[in-house]
Structure formats: structure tokens, C-alpha cells
Amino acid sequence: MLTSLLFACACNTKNQKANNSDFQALENRYFGQKPPGLTPKPFDPDIISPEGIFEEGTYTSDMKSYYFVRNNGKRTFFVIKYENNHWGQESETDIRWPQFSTDGNKMFIGKLYRERKSNDWSEPKSAGTFLKHMNHGRSVSAKGTYYFTAYKERGPIGAIYYSRLVNGKYEDPIRLNDDINRGKYIAGSLISPDESYLIWSVEREDGYGQSDLYISLKKMRELGQIA
């Protein structure tokens, strides 16, 4: 479910680029499938899932590369690129579950990141020791703030933290309040590019069973500045 939201929430940013002449036509962006709307539908195009074994995937910010996973009992990772006005042939890759910065210049993989170098990527680099307790669910806002889940002790009770880039260095992680960090199996934090909302998964007694998705909107001050 969270993968679907990651895909859907990115659409507004991608659609803003529709007038860019270097951006493929709308009908090409989703491998022939109808562009997403408000009603969830399976994303399972034949070109990436010829045997129905597609598991999940993500686009680069310019939507010209798509990294995805097929699972037929064993996960295999692929990338497919949009070149010469069409999608090419997929190839296996050692890049697993990447995320990309809003400007497309960074690729985030686990606790590491890579920087774009022309048509390639740099060697993996460490973001810093502030991520030492990160378990999963990392996302990064447009201004570089990390949101991630950490399990500092054994058991199902985790918490979402954030760390801002201040004067070129990341601050010590700050735990979000108990309204968000309530329940167990807290995971999958997805921050919007402007940090106006956060989506995450958690299991709570008042939920619908197992893990559910929740959204929290950042409150605004009377002067219109983000609190």
C-alpha cells in the first residue's frame, strides 16, 4: 500500500513537468496504462510484469528510468530506461529500492546516497552517523530533511525521527511527537517534498487490522508560516 502511495504522491510533481519538451508524452509515462487518479488501481503493465510477478518500483525524478522488482520466489532487481522516444529493454541492476531527490541529483539507498554524474551515478557515500539507528522507511524532503524509522530496542515499538541539514551538517535526530509515534510496527515514513504532510504505517487498536496508513498535515501559523 505504501508503495502505491509513493507512486501516487509523486504524480503531482511529475505532472508539473508536462510542458517540458525533454519530458516524454503523458501516454508514455506509465507504460501504456491510464495515468493515476483518485481511485487506486493495480500498477502492473506487461512490459515490466510479463508473468504477473512485478512487486514494486520507483521512477527517477525525470521519469526516464524506472527501477523495479520482480518476485517469483526470489527477488530480482531491474532498471528500464526511456530513450529515443520509447522504453527500452530492462536489465538487471545491483541497485535495490532506491529513492530520488526532488531535483533528481541524488539517489538514496538505505543509509547511503549517490550523486548524479552526467548519465551515471557516483559511488555510494555515507550521509552521516545520524542514521546509525535507522531501520527502514527513509524519505527525504526537497530541502534535504531526513525522516526515518528507528528501532533502538528489541520489540515492535519503533518511532519516526527527523534530522535537518543545518550549516552543512545533519543535526541529531529528533523524535516526532506521540500523536504520530503511537502504536507498534511504526514504519514507512513518506514526507512530502515541502514537508506539508507525512504518511506512515502503524498498527493501532483503533485501526482496521494489522498495519494501516495514516496521514498528518503540518499545522500553519496565523501568518501562514509552517509551524
Side-chain angles (χ1 to χ4, degrees):
M1 289 179 65
L2 189 63
T3 301
S4 300
L5 271 168
L6 284 166
F7 172 79
C9 291
C11 292
N12 287 338
T13 300
K14 293 164 186 170
N15 288 337
Q16 289 175 0
K17 303 176 183 178
N19 295 325
N20 187 341
S21 61
D22 194 39
F23 205 65
Q24 67 263 38
L26 182 63
E27 60 269 21
N28 296 332
R29 299 179 201 173
Y30 305 101
F31 304 98
Q33 291 198 165
K34 184 179 179 180
L38 296 178
T39 303
K41 295 181 179 180
F43 181 68
D44 195 28
D46 290 340
I47 188 172
I48 63 171
S49 187
E51 300 174 358
I53 56 175
F54 167 75
E55 187 173 69
E56 63 177 270
T58 186
Y59 289 94
T60 52
S61 299
D62 60 6
M63 293 191 77
K64 290 189 175 181
S65 295
Y66 188 70
Y67 291 82
F68 64 98
V69 187
R70 290 175 180 156
N71 190 345
N72 60 352
K74 177 184 177 181
R75 287 191 175 101
T76 308
F77 298 82
F78 297 89
V79 60
I80 185 170
K81 297 185 177 183
Y82 187 83
E83 298 174 319
N84 300 319
N85 298 318
H86 70 276
W87 290 101
Q89 183 66 37
E90 78 274 9
S91 59
E92 289 193 35
T93 177
D94 61 353
I95 296 174
R96 300 185 174 197
W97 295 296
Q99 290 182 0
F100 298 91
S101 61
T102 304
D103 61 11
N105 291 326
K106 284 187 177 181
M107 172 195 292
F108 304 100
I109 307 173
K111 298 179 182 180
L112 305 176
Y113 71 94
R114 293 181 174 186
E115 294 179 312
R116 183 175 288 281
K117 296 174 60 178
S118 186
N119 293 324
D120 202 356
W121 296 93
S122 70
E123 291 298 312
K125 302 178 180 181
S126 171
T129 58
F130 71 97
L131 292 176
K132 64 181 179 180
H133 292 297
M134 188 190 88
N135 189 277
H136 52 71
R138 176 257 305 114
S139 63
V140 186
S141 72
K143 61 183 181 183
T145 302
Y146 276 74
Y147 286 75
F148 59 93
T149 307
Y151 286 79
K152 294 186 177 182
E153 300 177 0
R154 289 180 178 270
I157 308 299
I160 297 175
Y161 294 77
Y162 70 94
S163 179
R164 296 171 295 193
L165 186 63
V166 180
N167 296 325
K169 294 182 63 177
Y170 277 97
E171 63 184 355
D172 291 338
I174 299 172
R175 187 182 185 276
L176 292 177
N177 62 47
D178 290 341
D179 288 338
I180 291 175
N181 286 313
R182 176 174 61 85
K184 58 183 181 179
Y185 303 113
I186 297 172
S189 57
L190 169 64
I191 191 67
S192 66
D194 64 357
E195 301 184 46
S196 60
Y197 64 84
L198 175 73
I199 297 173
W200 75 103
S201 63
V202 62
E203 184 176 321
R204 292 178 176 175
E205 292 183 359
D206 57 355
Y208 292 95
Q210 298 185 349
S211 290
D212 300 309
L213 293 175
Y214 289 78
I215 184 170
S216 178
L217 306 179
K218 183 170 281 188
K219 292 182 179 179
M220 307 295 287
R221 296 188 188 276
E222 292 182 2
L223 294 178
Q225 295 178 340
I226 294 179

